[in-house]
Amino acid sequence: MKRSIFSLFLILALVVVFTGQGYAKTYKWRIQSAFSRGDFSADLLPSFAEEVKKKSNGQLILTPYYAGDLVPTEDTLTATTRGIMEMSQGCGALWQGVEPILGLVAGAPFMYKGTLEEVERLIEKTGLYAQFAAAYDRQNCHLLGIHTYGPYPALVSNKPVRSLEDFKGLKVRAILATADLLKELGAAPGYIPGGEIYMALKLGTFDAATYSIDAIRGFKWHEVIKYYILPYWTDYYFGEIIVNKKSWNSLPPDLQKVLEEAMVNFGNANKEIYEKEKDAILNMQKQLGYEVVTLSDADMAEIRRIAIEKVWPNEAKKNEELGKAYKAITKYLGIQ
């Protein structure tokens, strides 16, 4: 009798152990970047995934992919919306054709100036972050958080650009409001995906190009450029990580918290690596084989004037939501 009771208790104990721990649900998700290998934010995704795995005790396992591994770059948002993959990382500016407000994830020239803390405060206080989250919500996605790519644009050229006059006729790869500003300066902006820019510069398809600063070494642009043009028009611009809404809602609160904490650390890691790179590409110019050109204060003042007086108003007219955002931003910055 005693042996039977002992056996029963042993079985019950084993059931508790295996159902309470051994059989805890495991989530295996995919996360694709919208960017290729060499983009620092994309290269940091394995560390992000490792932190999530460790802090969730193996309950949430993320497999990171680069652009094109699962779906083409241009389909990254759609694939996340439809649940083809559970998460993605990129820059909302890529999806401004679907949700125009997301173009402001990258800001507009001279909009995001100051320290990272000051820029993040602007995004929060003007309601921009809430607008970004609402836009992704409309796309069946949860905005996990934003992270910086450092200053923008990394403007490189194979023709000397030492004054405003030198922008005229310059064939330059650029996007969004940056392209609009370059057009106002007399340049001829056009677009190709980031992964094609190296060859376009090498072959002379474009005289110049814009991207985030990791392109200089990460994409090896230093091999095919002659000039790096400063100062930056934006001190910090951003990307984000999003989660398919159904997938997000399927997670218990403790695993949602794990993702949120990992997002904060991912943001800090991006800040650190881009800040270091900003110094590296200036200090290594002779070693890497290009010349750093710094435009005059007078030229920069004129470029800023054109951006705020011409480019910003044109962007604000594109739809009501953008108009609301630009109005809030200009008020916050005290611009008349």
Side-chain angles (χ1 to χ4, degrees), residues 39-292:
D39 180 282
F40 293 163
S41 64
D43 290 341
L44 284 171
L45 283 180
S47 298
F48 173 79
E50 185 59 34
E51 179 181 348
V52 170
K53 180 180 178 180
K54 182 178 180 180
K55 288 187 174 179
S56 69
N57 295 315
Q59 275 190 268
L60 181 52
I61 299 173
L62 307 180
T63 302
Y65 296 90
Y66 287 101
D69 287 349
L70 297 178
V71 298
T73 294
E74 60 270 20
D75 295 333
T76 306
L77 173 61
T78 302
T80 315
T81 294
R82 296 178 179 176
I84 296 171
M85 55 194 181
E86 292 79 11
M87 301 179 67
S88 60
Q89 176 267 331
C91 177
L94 295 171
W95 327 127
Q96 57 89 32
V98 178
E99 293 283 352
I101 191 65
L102 293 179
L104 284 179
V105 172
F110 299 95
M111 180 175 289
Y112 295 162
K113 299 291 287 181
T115 66
L116 179 58
E117 291 72 21
E118 288 170 337
V119 174
E120 289 178 331
R121 192 178 306 122
L122 179 155
I123 290 172
E124 181 66 31
K125 294 293 185 181
T126 59
L128 266 183
Y129 189 89
Q131 285 183 288
F132 298 155
Y136 278 118
D137 187 70
R138 290 192 292 267
Q139 296 301 313
N140 195 38
C141 292
H142 170 75
L143 175 58
L144 186 63
I146 62 174
H147 64 85
T148 185
Y149 283 110
Y152 190 84
L155 174 59
V156 303
S157 179
N158 281 320
K159 289 186 176 181
V161 179
R162 303 184 187 280
S163 69
L164 287 182
E165 195 67 25
D166 295 329
F167 281 102
K168 293 181 179 179
L170 193 72
K171 295 181 295 182
V172 54
R173 184 271 186 191
I175 62 172
L176 302 173
T178 300
D180 293 340
L181 176 54
L182 284 162
K183 188 174 182 179
E184 290 286 347
L185 297 177
Y191 174 79
I192 55 173
E196 299 177 14
I197 300 173
Y198 178 97
M199 287 304 298
L201 288 169
K202 183 176 182 178
L203 298 174
T205 309
F206 282 98
D207 304 317
T210 62
Y211 204 79
S212 53
I213 60 175
D214 43 4
I216 308 301
R217 294 199 302 165
F219 291 168
K220 301 186 184 301
W221 282 11
H222 63 87
E223 297 177 349
V224 293
I225 63 170
K226 295 179 181 179
Y227 304 98
Y228 186 57
I229 316 303
L230 293 176
Y232 298 111
W233 298 350
T234 295
D235 290 329
Y236 295 94
Y237 86 112
F238 298 89
E240 66 285 293
I241 290 180
I242 59 175
V243 188
N244 172 270
K245 197 184 299 183
K246 183 178 179 180
S247 298
W248 174 256
N249 291 335
S250 74
L251 289 180
D254 61 323
L255 294 186
Q256 290 181 345
K257 186 177 180 181
V258 165
L259 278 177
E260 289 169 344
E261 291 175 351
M263 181 70 221
V264 172
N265 293 329
F266 181 73
N268 291 334
N270 273 277
K271 177 187 177 183
E272 182 179 350
I273 197 169
Y274 280 99
E275 290 288 352
K276 288 181 179 178
E277 192 64 12
K278 183 171 66 173
D279 294 333
I281 57 180
L282 296 182
N283 297 332
M284 297 176 67
Q285 58 177 296
K286 289 185 179 179
Q287 178 183 339
L288 294 174
Y290 51 82
E291 177 188 351
V292 174

Side-chain angles (χ1 to χ4, degrees), residues 108-110 164-165 167-168 177-186 233 298-315:
F110 299 95
L164 287 182
E165 195 67 25
F167 281 102
K168 293 181 179 179
T178 300
D180 293 340
L181 176 54
L182 284 162
K183 188 174 182 179
E184 290 286 347
L185 297 177
W233 298 350
D299 281 347
M300 287 303 295
E302 179 61 8
I303 295 172
R304 181 180 184 275
R305 183 193 68 79
I306 293 171
I308 292 174
E309 294 183 8
K310 295 185 177 181
V311 176
W312 288 21
N314 288 337
E315 290 292 310

